[in-house]
Amino acid sequence: EDVKPFTPEKTKEIVMSLQQPAVFCNMVGNWPALHWNVKYLSAVLEGKTIQFRLGLKTVDLVPQFETSCSYVEATLEEFLAWSCGQPSCLSGPFSCYDYSKYWAYADYKYIARIFEDKPEIFQDVRWSDFGFPGRSGKESTLWIGSEGANTPCHLDSYGCNLVLQVQGRKRWHLFPPGDTSFLYPTRIPYEESSIFSKVNIANPDLKRFPEFRNSTAHVVTLSPGQVLLVPRHWWHYVESIDPVTVSINSWIELDADHEARVEEAITRMLVCAIKSAENPSDGDLWLNPTEVEATSHEINLQYLNKAVSAYLQCQETSVSGQARSLSTGAEQRTNTSCKRRRREVGCEPESCTLLTQECNFPTPKAGDLQKIPFGPHLIQVLPQSHKTSVMGAVAVESDSGDLLHENEGEHFGKLPCKRKRLLMSNDCETAAHQMDSDCSPCTSQTALSTNDLLDCLVNPCVISLVAQLLLERMRV
């Protein structure tokens, strides 16, 4: 059981060099975290409540962003009863939400935060087997969802991602960085480190987004015991396909994140400056709930200067051959680098310190690596053929040796209709109309909106060019 198909050193080499998604099998058989099903976690939390995001299981042409979801505080016991259709949930926090019509998702839950009074549980997650010694559940995030629970298609600005499936199955639709223009990127709703797609991957509107036809989906169903590698800047849409799912992930910081952090700082300055100047009574839900609040221009400027300083310092240390040195500037950068994270209570500086040590790991050159050992223990997530529908799926061998087959061409899931957050409004049609006008102009729209301007100003291609010009100015 303790024998792994790859050594930690070899696994880290694969993680840091592989530029396409792949599934690790038979790497976590002895991890105590494999027992983290919802029933077990409910007993550990002893009645502690967590926040769930709820959406409708209704197919629509518009993605359901987090700004338009409803939110409830509930225990895992109440969630489990609701997902099983037990009568006891009729009077609980899920009482307004019919399980046949809604899904619930407790996502981005920092293990360090929800288990702060039980630190011993952090050791149940052993990323040291993947070549990252000292990394445990404390540097990881927990995701718990019901059937249909999903997050809109997006890419993460920072790092690569390792995802362990614990309970149930999730289907991943991944698109390479080269498909970015086909996915119509947007920064509204704004969230640091996440670039969203305007396309509803489950039901694309090809009239409004015709270039999506040119995208190449890599689709895989992840089963318990498997670990998915999501390389840097790969787009992903993820949906729970079983009644209850649990997964654990950890983001691995990369050297390239220095420049990405400068781009994020520029984006934040522009978005906050322009959107904060608007009339608050307009009710534009431009800030993702995870961001908490719009920071001031002064704070954003400080953040930009720190990001630029960290980038330049990294460049200097790389040239001098001291890439592994832990400088004050690097520590400042690391403490603001967690995914979604610099304003998240659960991301304390000490929990991020490990990232400083890992970010300077030199990425091996392709020529220096042995051939990637694909096989039963490391499965490629291959692109679908053009003859296969975008929503088809590939088969992946599970740890138990079973083969998961998906019907080609089937629409695998349903996205809820656009609906404002419960605290704001329950009018589905109003919210859908607003997000439609916010995210991209309708054909009948005659006047440009602030968001139309922002879509152009903070387009990733534009921001990348601005960052290059800004950094060149600092070098001079």
Side-chain angles (χ1 to χ4, degrees):
E1 185 179 57
D2 293 337
V3 177
K4 313 290 183 183
F6 307 113
T7 65
E9 294 75 19
K10 183 61 180 179
T11 308
K12 184 172 185 177
E13 182 181 285
I14 294 170
V15 169
M16 302 300 283
S17 63
L18 191 55
Q19 299 301 310
Q20 68 178 83
V23 176
F24 288 93
C25 299
N26 307 309
M27 285 292 294
V28 297
N30 62 338
W31 286 24
L34 285 183
H35 302 294
W36 284 21
N37 57 37
V38 173
K39 187 175 181 180
Y40 171 80
L41 293 173
S42 176
V44 173
L45 288 175
E46 299 176 328
K48 184 176 182 179
T49 62
I50 57 178
Q51 187 181 72
F52 286 85
R53 176 165 59 96
L54 292 111
L56 281 164
K57 296 179 178 179
T58 307
V59 172
D60 191 21
L61 292 175
V62 183
Q64 181 169 21
F65 295 110
E66 293 170 56
T67 49
S68 60
C69 287
S70 299
Y71 294 80
V72 300
E73 295 283 338
T75 65
L76 286 183
E77 186 178 12
E78 290 168 330
F79 165 74
L80 198 56
W82 174 75
S83 64
C84 295
Q86 295 181 13
S88 59
C89 65
L90 296 178
S91 59
F94 293 103
S95 59
C96 296
Y97 306 95
D98 185 340
Y99 178 75
S100 65
K101 298 178 180 179
Y102 289 87
W103 50 258
Y105 209 5
D107 52 0
Y108 276 106
K109 296 296 179 283
Y110 282 90
I111 294 175
R113 184 179 182 182
I114 60 176
F115 296 114
E116 57 188 353
D117 56 340
K118 295 179 172 63
E120 65 278 1
I121 202 172
F122 299 155
Q123 303 310 313
D124 287 2
V125 182
R126 303 172 178 174
W127 295 114
S128 57
D129 286 340
F130 284 75
F132 302 98
R135 180 176 287 254
S136 65
K138 191 175 183 181
E139 296 80 26
S140 306
T141 311
L142 184 67
W143 308 68
I144 302 171
S146 66
E147 184 177 0
N150 63 80
T151 301
C153 184
H154 68 284
L155 69 78
D156 302 323
S157 302
Y158 307 142
C160 61
N161 191 5
L162 288 173
V163 187
L164 165 66
Q165 193 62 28
V166 176
Q167 180 179 4
R169 296 169 299 157
K170 279 185 174 180
R171 189 166 293 137
W172 288 71
H173 286 245
L174 303 112
F175 300 85
D179 282 2
T180 292
S181 62
F182 306 146
L183 290 160
Y184 298 84
T186 182
R187 297 313 298 261
I188 302 295
Y190 173 74
E191 171 189 297
E192 183 189 358
S193 79
S194 291
I195 301 175
F196 292 102
S197 169
K198 295 179 187 178
V199 183
N200 180 345
I201 303 302
N203 189 29
D205 186 346
L206 297 179
K207 289 184 178 180
R208 288 179 61 190
F209 310 115
E211 291 298 314
F212 181 68
R213 291 187 180 92
N214 298 322
S215 64
T216 304
H218 296 236
V219 187
V220 64
T221 298
L222 201 64
S223 298
Q226 296 178 335
V227 176
L228 173 67
L229 166 63
V230 182
R232 182 176 186 266
H233 285 182
W234 274 71
W235 292 84
H236 46 283
Y237 168 81
V238 193
E239 184 185 39
S240 298
I241 60 174
D242 282 329
V244 176
T245 62
V246 176
S247 53
I248 299 168
N249 87 292
S250 192
W251 284 277
I252 309 299
E253 186 161 300
L254 304 171
D255 278 337
D257 293 344
H258 287 283
E259 188 169 342
R261 195 159 293 106
V262 174
E263 295 175 2
E264 285 296 303
I266 295 170
T267 301
R268 185 171 191 86
M269 282 195 71
L270 288 172
V271 173
C272 288
I274 293 177
K275 297 301 292 183
S276 298
E278 285 190 319
N279 186 348
S281 64
D282 289 345
D284 179 11
L285 301 179
W286 65 273
L287 193 67
N288 224 37
T290 52
E291 284 298 305
V292 182
E293 62 182 1
T295 46
S296 69
H297 187 76
E298 181 180 6
I299 291 176
N300 290 336
L301 185 58
Q302 292 175 1
Y303 181 46
L304 174 60
N305 276 286
K306 287 183 178 180
V308 170
S309 297
Y311 171 86
L312 295 175
Q313 184 171 9
C314 181
Q315 295 296 101
E316 292 174 2
T317 55
S318 295
V319 171
S320 63
Q322 299 173 353
R324 292 182 179 272
S325 65
L326 301 179
S327 63
T328 302
E331 290 174 358
Q332 290 176 342
R333 166 191 45 79
T334 300
N335 291 341
T336 62
S337 70
C338 295
K339 170 116 181 75
R340 269 201 203 197
R341 272 122 301 251
R342 58 193 184 96
R343 288 165 299 284
E344 170 64 47
V345 177
C347 184
E348 299 296 335
E350 57 268 24
S351 70
C352 298
T353 303
L354 186 67
L355 295 177
T356 308
Q357 302 167 5
E358 293 168 356
C359 73
N360 290 319
F361 179 81
T363 303
K365 296 180 180 179
D368 298 334
L369 292 173
Q370 297 178 5
K371 184 178 180 181
I372 298 296
F374 292 119
H377 306 299
L378 181 65
I379 302 172
Q380 291 177 278
V381 181
L382 297 172
Q384 292 180 293
S385 66
H386 292 291
K387 294 181 180 180
T388 305
S389 166
V390 171
M391 305 313 291
V394 300
V396 171
E397 188 176 357
S398 68
D399 286 352
S400 62
D402 297 329
L403 203 60
L404 302 176
H405 292 282
E406 299 296 337
N407 294 327
E408 291 189 351
E410 282 191 355
H411 282 261
F412 71 86
K414 299 179 180 180
L415 271 181
C417 69
K418 297 306 303 173
R419 200 162 65 83
K420 275 183 176 289
R421 187 171 177 174
L422 185 61
L423 297 176
M424 308 249 182
S425 168
N426 289 319
D427 189 333
C428 178
E429 293 183 1
T430 301
H433 173 75
Q434 176 173 348
M435 290 305 296
D436 192 58
S437 61
D438 282 348
C439 293
S440 64
C442 299
T443 54
S444 60
Q445 187 172 342
T446 57
L448 291 173
S449 68
T450 303
N451 285 354
D452 294 327
L453 174 62
L454 269 178
D455 260 345
C456 297
L457 284 178
V458 297
N459 181 284
C461 294
V462 175
I463 293 297
S464 177
L465 176 59
V466 173
Q468 291 294 330
L469 292 172
L470 192 63
L471 291 170
E472 186 61 35
R473 178 184 296 259
M474 291 301 295
R475 291 189 189 99
V476 172

